[in-house]
Amino acid sequence: MSRIGVFVCHCGINIAGTVDVTAVAERIGRHPDVAFATDYSYMCSEPGQQLVRDAIQNHRLDAVVVAACSPSMHEATFRRAASSVGLNPYRLEIANIREQCSWVHQHEPASATEKAVELLHTVVEKVKRDEELEPFRLSLTKRALVIGGGVAGMQAALDIANAGFPVLLVEREDHLGGKMAQLSGTYLNFEAAPDLIRQKVQRVLDHPNVNVLTRAEVAAVEGYVGNFEVQLARSEAPEGEAPEQAPGRLPAGLESPVDVGAIVVATGWDAYPLRRLPEYGGGELQDVVDGLTFERMLRDDQRPGGGLRRPSDGRVPQEVVFVQCAGSRDPERGVAYCSKVCCMVTAKQAMMFKERVPDGQAYVFYIDIRSAGKGYDEYVQEAMEEQDILYLRGKVSKIFSDGDSVRVWGADTLSNQPIEVAADLVVLATPMLPSSEAFDVAQILRVSTDEYGFFSEAHPKLRPVESLTAGVFLAGAAQGPKDIPETASQASGAAAKVLQLFSHDEMTQEPTVAYVVEELCSGCGACVEVCPYEARALEFVAGPGSGRIATVNAALCQNCGACLVACPNKASRIHNWTPEQILAMADAVMG
């Protein structure tokens, strides 16, 4: 008979406000296999963990069930506590009585209490049958691949390289710098962008631990965290363009296998096509441009003999209208999300226009101002109050050509008056889109993307720089719209995760993965076809009863269960999630 300990958490009032936790502990304590049961206010706290450790030793427990929140929150916490006093950590299970019980039955305390008891009975039956497992030990390649040579990619590469590890930085263009290299300046400090990006590019190119491959792309990735094999392909230069020689340039079409232990995805973002904004003259009117085009115009103004000139006739624009949220926050005609940086970029561009054309007038149509950041709101106020930039709260309805000017129709919702401006130039603050290569990279890396095409993080609060594919980390605007400071910060965060991985001499892999009961396997291959992680294969086994059987690469398996569903003979199993355990849990519910 098992000696199981059950620990019921109050979670403050998150659980105890609905569930009678004391009654739950008392009732589960009557189970013949439960040797000890108690409740505590916060089981995840250090005193709560010590309660678990003491009970394991004092009551000679051979398994533990913690009734608390989701396993994704604190399963690892409690398993470490149990392991520290000699209990096999895979003989500890979590019964989720918060998200699956108290939170969904807040107005039914009696029913919630009964459900909590039933949940605990099922998990007790499961833990009785848990195996004592040991993690797998895997080798580790201490080299990182960074995909993308913009601010995020370069920052991540430098952080990893400065710690002494080799980095392969792959960029599809013939130069580093990304979108920041196209800026004429940055907000808060106008002139910083060109110098900052040149310095960072040079640091990357000069670093002995960084190998830069330009005009190169990732063609295929095999393997798993710590042991990826990457196939790189040289992309062709555009027709008529001489291929620029850069460090580590690959010959055209050549694929080169490289072993790496971790991958940082920093593919950046693409500009929203103006042709998708016909109501604003996008793609039709020469003097309606997007933000990056205006940045190039500002850069041209800094060159000898240059000057801020509008595209149609080269005339210096005197009246410039900036339209924020052009295609953003518009699920019907554009994208539903906010690109986060546009309010600040627009303020910067309007101020730079005023710097170059002091007697000119800048107008900004906005829905609302989103300037969250240190010194950001003050910066926008400076644009309004000190630079005399006219901010108009309202949506632009139409932009069209009217002789030598561009007519802008809009509304001022504060005064409830229609607004019409005869502008020389219109600058649209368009959304940041995922990079055009993001989808292909996601497919190659088996990393998920959100509904818009940005890479999805494992958890927005607890694992913001990790993907759900172990060993693949996210940096910068590849994961969503970001400004330069946030991009650099996230890139350093991704690099820190890589360094945490590389700090070990070998890796440990969770043992709760799929396996095959060879006596039941017919070698049909159904599990191989459905495995999304390519962790299954068919191998020939010689000897008596020779034939093909399915095998599992434990390092690749993510215990998703697809193979279990597909297997007609029930030969595919997952350690500690066997059919016997599941049926026993069902029997506990049915009585």
Side-chain angles (χ1 to χ4, degrees):
M1 182 175 290
S2 297
R3 294 188 60 81
I4 300 170
V6 179
F7 303 85
V8 186
C9 182
H10 293 226
C11 196
I13 62 170
N14 278 295
I15 295 173
T18 302
V19 175
D20 186 344
V21 292
T22 303
V24 170
E26 190 274 328
R27 289 174 61 181
I28 196 65
R30 303 173 197 163
H31 192 289
D33 290 296
V34 174
F36 178 79
T38 189
D39 60 282
Y40 189 72
S41 54
Y42 289 101
M43 286 303 308
C44 62
S45 66
E46 179 53 36
Q49 294 177 54
Q50 189 60 46
L51 178 62
V52 174
R53 290 190 285 262
D54 291 343
I56 291 171
Q57 294 177 309
N58 297 337
H59 297 275
R60 306 188 317 280
L61 303 180
D62 57 20
V64 167
V65 175
V66 179
C69 55
S70 165
S72 64
M73 293 291 291
H74 288 298
E75 183 178 67
T77 301
F78 292 117
R79 284 185 169 175
R80 282 194 299 269
S83 179
S84 69
V85 290
L87 182 71
N88 185 284
Y90 300 98
R91 293 271 295 164
L92 182 147
E93 298 286 350
I94 304 293
N96 185 349
I97 63 169
R98 189 179 74 173
E99 286 85 347
Q100 294 181 354
C101 190
S102 67
W103 280 3
V104 291
H105 302 293
Q106 292 183 18
H107 304 296
E108 306 168 284
S111 298
T113 300
E114 289 299 319
K115 183 177 180 179
V117 173
E118 290 192 359
L119 284 171
L120 270 170
H121 274 286
T122 65
V123 179
V124 165
E125 292 302 320
K126 179 182 187 300
V127 79
K128 278 170 55 177
R129 297 162 174 82
D130 276 347
E131 303 174 72
E132 292 195 355
L133 303 173
E134 293 296 331
F136 299 107
R137 304 291 175 179
L138 304 170
S139 61
L140 174 61
T141 301
K142 296 186 179 183
R143 179 190 295 113
L145 168 69
V146 177
I147 306 174
V151 174
M154 291 192 295
Q155 184 67 51
L158 285 171
D159 286 351
I160 297 168
N162 286 337
F165 298 103
V167 178
L168 177 62
L169 176 60
V170 176
E171 168 57 50
R172 63 175 175 172
E173 303 293 340
D174 61 6
H175 60 277
L176 301 179
K179 294 296 190 296
M180 187 175 173
Q182 302 180 34
L183 302 182
S184 59
T186 54
Y187 44 79
L188 301 185
N189 46 354
F190 277 167
E191 308 304 327
D195 286 342
L196 284 176
I197 201 67
R198 279 194 295 266
Q199 292 169 14
K200 193 169 286 289
V201 169
Q202 201 57 49
R203 285 175 59 203
V204 170
L205 295 177
D206 292 343
H207 204 293
N209 288 336
V210 181
N211 182 20
V212 177
L213 298 180
T214 55
R215 286 214 184 280
E217 296 179 354
V218 175
V221 174
E222 302 293 335
Y224 47 89
V225 55
N227 294 275
F228 293 109
E229 183 181 275
V230 181
Q231 295 286 335
L232 301 175
R234 161 80 160 87
S235 58
E236 299 288 347
E239 187 175 349
E241 179 183 320
E244 182 178 315
Q245 295 303 312
R249 177 60 61 86
L250 292 173
L254 178 67
E255 293 190 355
S256 174
V258 181
D259 293 327
V260 300
I263 299 172
V264 177
V265 181
T267 50
W269 61 280
D270 282 348
Y272 191 84
L274 283 182
R275 65 178 181 276
R276 291 172 60 177
L277 295 168
E279 68 274 23
Y280 290 164
E284 297 178 2
L285 303 182
Q286 283 186 283
D287 295 326
V288 174
V289 300
D290 63 8
L292 284 177
T293 302
F294 191 65
E295 291 288 340
R296 287 194 291 272
M297 295 166 63
L298 292 170
R299 284 206 319 275
D300 291 341
D301 179 55
Q302 298 169 331
R303 294 170 182 164
L308 183 59
R309 311 285 181 178
R310 70 178 193 168
S312 62
D313 55 15
R315 183 160 56 86
V316 176
Q318 297 294 317
E319 305 276 322
V320 177
V321 172
F322 295 87
V323 181
Q324 294 193 178
C325 297
S328 296
R329 302 167 65 187
D330 186 354
E332 294 182 359
R333 299 184 61 82
V335 298
Y337 57 84
C338 167
S339 286
K340 203 172 188 177
V341 304
C342 310
C343 292
M344 293 298 295
V345 170
T346 295
K348 177 207 76 172
Q349 290 178 339
M351 291 170 73
M352 294 184 82
F353 163 71
K354 289 286 289 183
E355 184 181 73
R356 282 145 171 85
V357 187
D359 58 344
Q361 178 61 57
Y363 307 83
V364 176
F365 281 90
Y366 70 98
I367 299 175
D368 48 40
I369 302 297
R370 298 184 173 185
S371 52
K374 183 179 180 180
Y376 284 16
D377 192 56
E378 293 85 348
Y379 186 83
V380 175
Q381 292 301 316
E382 179 186 348
M384 294 179 180
E385 297 170 5
E386 297 183 21
Q387 301 293 333
D388 293 326
I389 296 165
L390 183 57
Y391 272 72
L392 301 165
R393 188 178 184 275
K395 190 80 171 173
V396 171
S397 59
K398 186 176 181 181
I399 300 173
F400 57 95
S401 178
D402 184 15
D404 291 338
S405 65
V406 180
R407 192 70 61 172
V408 180
W409 283 356
D412 182 347
T413 57
L414 296 179
S415 64
N416 200 28
Q417 295 294 320
I419 299 291
E420 183 175 326
V421 180
D424 299 314
L425 182 70
V426 175
V427 182
L428 304 180
T430 55
M432 299 170 72
L433 297 182
S435 168
S436 59
E437 67 175 320
F439 179 78
D440 291 337
V441 172
Q443 294 289 308
I444 292 170
L445 298 179
R446 296 186 290 275
V447 174
S448 62
T449 57
D450 64 19
E451 58 187 303
Y452 306 111
F454 292 107
F455 289 93
S456 296
E457 66 279 8
H459 192 286
K461 293 183 177 66
L462 303 178
R463 298 171 64 190
V465 300
E466 301 174 61
S467 74
L468 286 173
T469 299
V472 178
F473 306 98
L474 311 176
Q479 185 259 338
K482 291 177 181 63
D483 65 1
I484 294 169
E486 188 179 1
T487 291
S489 298
Q490 191 188 21
S492 291
K497 285 291 184 181
V498 173
L499 295 178
Q500 181 186 45
L501 176 64
F502 288 178
S503 67
H504 303 284
D505 293 327
E506 61 181 4
M507 294 189 310
T508 58
Q509 169 77 14
E510 285 291 300
T512 48
V513 295
Y515 66 98
V516 176
V517 181
E518 295 185 7
E519 295 80 4
L520 298 179
C521 181
S522 65
C524 67
C527 60
V528 177
E529 294 179 7
V530 301
C531 179
Y533 301 99
E534 299 181 5
R536 313 286 296 212
L538 289 176
E539 293 185 4
F540 183 81
V541 177
S546 62
R548 297 193 311 168
I549 64 167
T551 60
V552 179
N553 184 333
L556 286 175
C557 179
Q558 300 293 313
N559 62 295
C560 68
C563 55
L564 279 66
V565 177
C567 181
N569 295 344
K570 305 305 176 190
S572 287
R573 310 280 176 89
I574 291 179
H575 287 292
N576 286 350
W577 274 110
T578 63
E580 291 80 10
Q581 288 178 293
I582 295 169
L583 290 172
M585 294 171 74
D587 287 343
V589 174
M590 300 302 294

